[in-house]
Amino acid sequence: MKLLRYGAVGQEKPAMLDAEGRLRDLSKHVNDIAHEVLLPAGLARLAALDPQSLPLVEGSPRIGACVAGSGKFICIGLNYSDHAAETGATVPPEPIVFLKATSAIGGPNDVLEIPRGSTKTDWEVELGVVIGKTAKYVSEADAMDHVAGYCLINDVSERAFQTERQGQWTKGKSADTFGPIGPWLVTPDEVPDPQQLDMWLEVNGVRRQSGSTATMVYGVRYLIAYLSQFMSLRPGDIISTGTPPGVGMGFKPPVYLKRGDVVTLGIEGLGTQRQVATQFD
């Protein structure tokens, strides 16, 4: 099942993708793709619906973030060994955890806004995990029971803010538009193994990242169990699980985004995104 949200910013409506890839409105059944809808019982009710019985969404509306009401946007750094190598870092003995502001969340095809004063805005294609049932001190064996679904994320980053402005990475990760998610929330029945997904990213049609979730240092199951030892994970919380090599800072010389650049990215089975970069003056 592929769930999504469509409409103007702040006015998104819930929808489901049918077998032909058409949007079917869910407004008569749920208020949004959020909170209790993400619980196992909520997803089961949606799965029982016949998509053909739902109203067809006409036209080509804006697609919003695929989940609403996220309390936490948790990111994992240096979680691919080949990405760690390109940045000159070593693989960490435990996951590197940082938070991205939820105000960064946006739709998959919204404008990507280069922040004021930025000189090193970068890209990162990542697998996102959306929590569907509260996880607190869970084991690896039980971790996957807490997943509502998966989504595509571009973990946009301003490297100068991240590494040259002191303190934690969050300030380089949290600008408005730095967290496009979606287009869809894909339920686990359609993603039998989240550690076997191909992923890619292009800038202006040039392939920059090619990778697979198979090369994660710490997999989805481990990350959920690990994070739940430090904080409760609640329905709608997002975990962005790290990126493969090919980010802008890894090139020699580095390559960063500028006004007018077009970023496209995708993960097998999770759809694609397209962002045009603009500059906040």
Side-chain angles (χ1 to χ4, degrees), residues 116-199:
R116 181 178 292 169
S118 168
T119 58
K120 299 180 179 180
T121 294
D122 205 346
W123 55 82
E124 294 189 16
V125 59
E126 303 203 4
L127 171 66
V129 181
V130 178
I131 298 298
K133 183 174 69 172
T134 297
K136 185 173 183 178
Y137 298 119
V138 300
S139 66
E140 287 189 57
D142 295 332
M144 304 307 276
D145 295 338
H146 298 264
V147 175
Y150 304 93
C151 63
L152 171 62
I153 294 176
N154 186 359
D155 176 21
V156 186
S157 310
E158 211 301 333
R159 302 302 187 186
F161 297 177
Q162 177 186 353
T163 63
E164 301 169 21
R165 298 287 297 274
Q166 305 303 314
Q168 299 181 347
W169 290 4
T170 299
K171 66 176 71 173
K173 298 282 190 170
S174 296
D176 293 350
T177 77
F178 270 28
I181 66 171
W184 316 309
L185 173 65
V186 184
T187 49
D189 57 293
E190 295 196 15
V191 187
D193 186 355
Q195 305 305 152
Q196 294 293 330
L197 302 176
D198 291 334
M199 54 205 309

Side-chain angles (χ1 to χ4, degrees), residues 64-67 70 73 105-108 151-154 179-183 238 273:
C66 59
V67 65
S70 299
F73 197 161
I105 293 174
C151 63
L152 171 62
I153 294 176
N154 186 359
I181 66 171
I238 302 164
Q273 298 185 358

Side-chain angles (χ1 to χ4, degrees), residues 215-275:
T215 63
M216 278 187 193
V217 177
Y218 301 105
V220 171
R221 184 182 299 275
Y222 180 88
L223 289 173
I224 293 171
Y226 180 84
L227 291 170
S228 78
Q229 310 306 307
F230 303 101
M231 65 190 85
S232 61
L233 304 175
R234 296 177 178 172
D237 285 352
I238 302 164
I239 304 170
S240 199
T241 57
T243 197
V247 299
M249 70 180 297
F251 287 90
K252 300 187 186 316
V255 179
Y256 296 115
L257 294 174
K258 61 185 183 302
R259 186 198 300 267
D261 283 349
V262 179
V263 183
T264 53
L265 57 148
I267 295 181
E268 178 183 358
L270 303 185
T272 61
Q273 298 185 358
R274 179 182 186 274
Q275 295 115 30

Side-chain angles (χ1 to χ4, degrees), residues 5 32-35 38 67-72 102 105 234-237:
R5 302 167 66 247
D32 211 339
I33 308 300
H35 308 304
L38 299 170
V67 65
S70 299
K72 293 189 285 295
T102 55
I105 293 174
R234 296 177 178 172
D237 285 352

